[in-house]
Amino acid sequence: MTPENVPMWISLIGNFGFPIALTVYLFIRFERKIDNLEAVIMELSEVIKSLNYKKGG
C-alpha cells in the first residue's frame, strides 16, 4: 500500500466497514440460533424414536 492509495482505502473502509461489521454480527447470532435449533431437532428426534419404540413394542 502506497501513500497515494491511503485515501482510497479509508473511503472503502468508511463505505463498507459498517455493512461488513453488521454481516459478521448477524452471522454470529444466526450461528448460535442454528446450533440451538439443531440441538432441539436432535432431542425431538430422540423423543419420536422412543415413542415409536413404545408404540411398537
Side-chain angles (χ1 to χ4, degrees), residues 1-56:
M1 177 165 47
T2 62
E4 295 84 24
N5 292 341
V6 171
M8 178 190 69
W9 282 106
I10 291 173
S11 175
L12 284 173
I13 291 171
N15 289 335
F16 298 107
F18 177 74
I20 290 171
L22 182 63
T23 301
V24 168
Y25 171 75
L26 290 175
F27 277 151
I28 290 170
R29 284 192 48 133
F30 284 142
E31 180 183 13
R32 282 190 217 137
K33 290 183 185 281
I34 289 172
D35 288 342
N36 290 339
L37 183 60
E38 180 183 3
V40 169
I41 290 172
M42 294 302 291
E43 185 179 332
L44 180 60
S45 173
E46 293 300 320
V47 169
I48 291 171
K49 283 180 188 176
S50 70
L51 288 175
N52 283 337
Y53 179 73
K54 287 178 186 177
K55 187 188 256 187

